[in-house]
Amino acid sequence: MKLRRHLLSLLAVAAGLGAFTAPAVAADYKAEYRMSLVLGPPTPWGQAGKMWADMVKERTQGRINIKLYPGVSLIQGDQTREFSALRQGVIDMAVGSTINWSPQVKELNLFSLPFLMPDYAAIDALTQGGVGQKIFQTLDKSGVVPLAWGENGFRELTNSKRPIKSPADLKGMKIRVVGSPIYSDMFSAMGANPTQMSWADAQPALSSGAVDGQENPLFLFTVLKMHTVGQKFVTTWGYVADPLIFVVNKDIWSSWTPADQAIVRQAAVDAGKAEIAIARKGLVEADKPVLKDIAAMGVTVTSLSAEEREAFVKATRPVYDKWKNTVGPALVKDAEAAVAARKK
Ligand code: X2X
């Protein structure tokens, strides 16, 4: 005990000396900050985190060091708890999907409203305009500091059974869905049999055939070689797209000097911009090389005609109407107007 007290007083003296000799900024800084991500660096999402961390380290001359925790490992893979953990300080910062934070921040379900965003210009019209600003105000009120947008991407449907061209083709199919309940509602409305599970649980479920299909951006299909776990059919229907958001815990944010805050914010903006380009690569070009790559894996890629797509729009419309109230009718109205006015 005596020794411990002695050590503590030595530490107090050292800290006191530090206040005079070291720049005041260093006092509250942690040796390392914890950044949460669902997907790691081989994916655009993981690269978003890595680019952000690297830029911050370089631009702060190492004052702010960030370690990546992909697989939401700080919360044992339970991605729907990420937002609460951020607020509580279990996580210092994150690049997170709007889907995973939707259970806590209802407005984020906006991006999951089926067929709200028909193309990339529509995503940009929301995130880069007034709607995006409103969402950031909401996040700020919800207890985190939002800094920039990134992109997970349009979520396309894959399965092991058959080509899907109509809701009837989905009938009874066991589809893994993410943790926000709007997804269960959508897949039920289309006649499928949705099973909600984390991404950590989804991978073994796909491998074992416990589920028939899933929906995610196509880069994940290629990175994980999903055809090797029986996913032989892809339908590009672009029903929803999830943006990513760069955020920092409020206490951590206020522990940084204004100059460092500006650096962290600008780095998030730069990393977000670069990542969005990576996420869209191969999908925005006229010949869509990503689809060719996937077809070359022996996968049947089904693109929907306008009429075929419309059948899915119709089937999910009651879900859109129901969730409009949860998101907030005014925000949905603004979003619809922004999408309608987008530059194509
Ligand atoms: O769980 C998913 O499907 C993923 C990886 O896309 C998200 O975290 C939303």
Side-chain angles (χ1 to χ4, degrees), residues 38-39 45 79 97 99-100 152 155 176 178 199 216 242:
V38 178
L39 303 176
W45 188 340
Q79 65 214 57
S97 161
I99 294 174
N100 296 328
N152 192 24
R155 303 179 69 90
R176 174 268 170 171
V178 283
W199 180 242
N216 247 304
D242 54 327

Side-chain angles (χ1 to χ4, degrees), residues 3-303:
L3 181 65
R4 184 143 170 257
R5 220 176 302 140
H6 187 60
L7 269 176
L8 283 175
S9 57
L10 265 181
L11 279 174
V13 169
L17 282 177
F20 290 104
T21 51
V25 300
D28 300 339
Y29 281 35
K30 294 214 245 175
E32 194 167 82
Y33 294 91
R34 294 164 297 183
M35 184 196 293
S36 180
L37 305 161
V38 178
L39 303 176
T43 66
W45 188 340
Q47 288 177 57
K50 186 172 185 322
M51 287 189 287
W52 189 23
D54 288 350
M55 285 178 197
V56 167
K57 184 169 188 175
E58 197 195 315
R59 296 178 190 179
T60 62
Q61 273 108 39
R63 280 190 302 282
I64 298 178
N65 274 301
I66 300 164
K67 185 173 175 195
L68 308 188
Y69 289 86
V72 259
S73 56
L74 293 165
I75 41 167
Q76 294 76 46
D78 187 355
Q79 65 214 57
T80 53
R81 286 201 354 233
E82 190 179 53
F83 193 81
S84 309
L86 260 165
R87 213 163 24 192
Q88 290 156 4
V90 175
I91 293 170
D92 298 324
M93 54 211 296
V95 181
S97 161
T98 49
I99 294 174
N100 296 328
W101 300 350
S102 289
Q104 289 83 32
V105 188
K106 300 279 177 246
E107 290 83 352
L108 291 177
N109 283 293
L110 175 73
F111 300 99
S112 298
L113 290 178
F115 301 100
L116 167 68
M117 298 177 288
D119 48 32
Y120 285 108
I123 305 180
D124 295 341
L126 299 187
T127 58
Q128 308 305 314
V131 169
Q133 281 167 11
K134 277 192 192 134
I135 297 265
F136 271 21
Q137 283 161 13
T138 304
L139 284 171
D140 189 71
K141 279 197 207 113
S142 308
V144 300
V145 182
L147 299 175
W149 296 92
E151 190 160 288
N152 192 24
F154 277 106
R155 303 179 69 90
E156 314 294 10
L157 185 60
T158 80
N159 83 92
S160 60
K161 298 279 185 216
R162 54 183 171 264
I164 292 170
K165 285 193 165 173
S166 70
D169 296 328
L170 257 176
K171 193 149 184 58
M173 208 179 265
K174 226 172 172 189
I175 305 289
R176 174 268 170 171
V177 292
V178 283
S180 179
I182 188 174
Y183 287 85
S184 299
D185 283 0
M186 285 192 277
F187 280 87
S188 298
M190 291 184 282
N193 177 8
T195 312
Q196 190 175 309
M197 61 182 84
S198 70
W199 180 242
D201 291 338
Q203 295 170 80
L206 284 166
S207 303
S208 70
V211 295
D212 304 319
Q214 62 90 44
E215 45 78 65
N216 247 304
L218 289 176
F219 64 76
L220 206 52
F221 192 97
T222 346
V223 168
L224 291 182
K225 301 184 171 46
M226 282 194 198
H227 62 296
T228 62
V229 293
Q231 297 292 292
K232 295 288 189 193
F233 303 94
V234 169
T235 297
T236 56
W237 60 348
Y239 80 130
V240 300
D242 54 327
L244 299 175
I245 306 180
F246 293 64
V247 301
V248 176
N249 164 279
K250 281 217 161 152
D251 293 335
I252 298 292
W253 182 255
S254 45
S255 73
W256 291 334
T257 62
D260 280 342
Q261 287 173 351
I263 290 175
V264 173
R265 182 187 296 278
Q266 189 58 47
V269 170
D270 295 346
K273 223 172 161 186
E275 188 267 340
I276 289 173
I278 295 171
R280 295 181 184 184
K281 197 170 177 297
L283 292 166
V284 283
E285 300 83 355
D287 61 340
K288 299 197 174 158
V290 167
L291 296 188
K292 283 190 178 158
D293 293 348
I294 292 176
M297 297 167 167
V299 172
T300 304
V301 179
T302 304
S303 306

